[in-house]
Amino acid sequence: MKNKSIILGALFVLLGVSTANAQINFGEKALGAVQKGVAGFTFSDADAASLSKAAVDKMDAEHVITGAKDPYTLRLNKLFGKHKTTEGVALNYKVYKLNEVNAFATADGSVRVYSGLMDIMDDNELLAVIGHEIGHVVNTDSRDAIKAAYKKEAALGLLASQSDKVAAITDSQLAKVGSQMIDSKHSRKQESEADEFSYNFMKNNSYNVNAVSSAFAILAKMSEGAESSFLEKMMSSHPDPKERAENAKLRAEKDGLYKPYVKQKPVVAKKAPVKKKK
Ligand SMILES: [Zn+2]
């Protein structure tokens, strides 16, 4: 069954149709679909996508999302807008207005970026982090994370997934699965692969690849002694966080693209004085 899922997943990617795509249309009915979907004996990729979508919807409702004309929104539109479909996977993004260095991606293709992260990264560095998060979705790490979170709940007997009854997921269980999904640590291998994805994402889109190393250096520095699940998640699966920044640098050198990274100045676009055209 597992192999079949992988083949199917690969097929969807080849066809340019993600499994997440089909689920996003469920909208408000996502939870109902999840309840029915997990009732059987398998927890399919489609179930993973609907459960993720339901969890993200809940988190969206609990956070302040920046408005359409907010500078944060405009900035993320500018950076992310071009990449709404990456390797055949449909992605959607939002900014959470919260002074926290955080970002996450889920199996349904949702990427959420916190304004606190946007404040400390310039455009290229932010793209490097976004590329890393997209990597987790494309590599199906996010799907594995929600499956693991769900299974954990199921194993505790909190969900009726092992019976033929419809699993009744309460709101609080959904919140729990959701937060486990977000906080779940990926393996060292998954992190390295997401880093590599990020580097290739930058390279293939002709962005400055040296920003990858710079972004990781910032996060590595921040993670020293900081209590943040995001930083922990991003950094702790590697013995030496600086190693990741170094790896990106080595790749850039190998590609002949290395240059000491010069951070771009305007981190958040401030309203420029309007110049009158004459
Ligand atoms: Zn990661």
Side-chain angles (χ1 to χ4, degrees):
M1 274 313 270
K2 202 184 171 192
N3 284 337
K4 199 178 163 192
S5 302
I6 290 165
I7 291 164
L8 266 179
L11 204 65
F12 275 121
V13 170
L14 275 176
L15 293 172
V17 181
S18 78
T19 48
N21 247 347
Q23 297 305 325
I24 284 164
N25 298 330
F26 281 169
E28 287 165 11
K29 287 182 180 168
L31 189 53
V34 168
Q35 289 171 342
K36 288 192 182 93
V38 296
F41 300 99
T42 55
F43 187 70
S44 69
D45 295 352
D47 294 331
S50 348
L51 184 56
S52 302
K53 173 79 170 73
V56 168
D57 285 347
K58 188 170 166 58
M59 276 183 287
D60 282 355
E62 287 164 358
H63 285 84
V64 177
I65 293 164
T66 55
K69 288 180 181 170
D70 188 288
Y72 285 104
T73 309
L74 297 177
R75 187 175 167 216
L76 200 61
N77 284 343
K78 188 184 79 180
L79 299 179
F80 206 141
K82 293 166 247 178
H83 307 293
K84 274 167 91 176
T85 303
T86 300
E87 299 201 7
V89 177
L91 304 161
N92 71 86
Y93 57 86
K94 285 185 173 121
V95 179
Y96 285 172
K97 186 91 193 263
L98 196 61
N99 192 21
E100 218 176 80
V101 177
N102 204 352
F104 65 84
T106 58
D108 62 295
S110 300
V111 179
R112 299 294 178 262
V113 183
Y114 290 59
S115 58
L117 176 72
M118 294 180 73
D119 288 340
I120 60 159
M121 302 250 156
D122 71 13
D123 286 356
N124 286 321
E125 290 161 343
L126 197 55
L127 280 163
V129 174
I130 288 168
H132 176 94
E133 293 301 328
I134 293 175
H136 281 311
V137 180
V138 173
N139 296 340
T140 69
D141 302 336
S142 308
R143 190 187 71 198
D144 297 345
I146 186 85
K147 281 191 176 184
Y150 178 81
K151 276 182 187 162
K152 201 173 160 190
E153 288 294 287
L156 292 170
L158 298 174
L159 305 174
S161 67
Q162 301 308 315
S163 76
D164 56 357
K165 285 181 201 156
V166 170
I169 296 182
T170 64
D171 213 38
S172 65
Q173 282 167 343
L174 181 63
K176 206 172 160 198
V177 170
S179 69
Q180 276 177 8
M181 166 181 79
I182 301 310
D183 291 337
S184 65
K185 283 177 196 158
H186 298 301
S187 68
R188 181 187 172 126
K189 186 169 171 275
Q190 287 174 326
E191 288 302 336
S192 296
E193 285 168 358
D195 287 359
E196 188 153 345
F197 187 98
S198 170
Y199 182 92
N200 292 332
F201 171 82
M202 298 297 281
K203 191 181 169 188
N204 296 339
N205 288 293
S206 306
Y207 297 130
N208 186 346
V209 296
N210 298 294
V212 180
S213 174
S214 176
F216 289 136
I218 293 171
L219 296 174
K221 198 160 185 209
M222 288 192 73
S223 70
E224 286 166 10
E227 270 184 51
S228 156
S229 68
F230 172 72
L231 293 170
E232 217 182 283
K233 191 175 67 180
M234 285 286 281
M235 297 298 161
S236 72
S237 54
H238 294 249
D240 179 8
K242 284 168 195 148
E243 189 186 312
R244 296 172 78 179
E246 190 58 27
N247 282 344
K249 188 186 164 192
L250 289 174
R251 269 210 69 185
E253 280 174 348
K254 206 178 141 196
D255 287 345
L257 295 170
Y258 176 72
K259 267 185 207 160
Y261 189 71
V262 181
K263 202 173 170 85
Q264 296 167 301
K265 260 195 181 153
V267 171
V268 175
K270 284 189 183 131
K271 276 181 189 166
V274 182
K275 278 183 191 167
K276 272 192 179 173
K277 277 184 188 168
K278 279 189 179 176

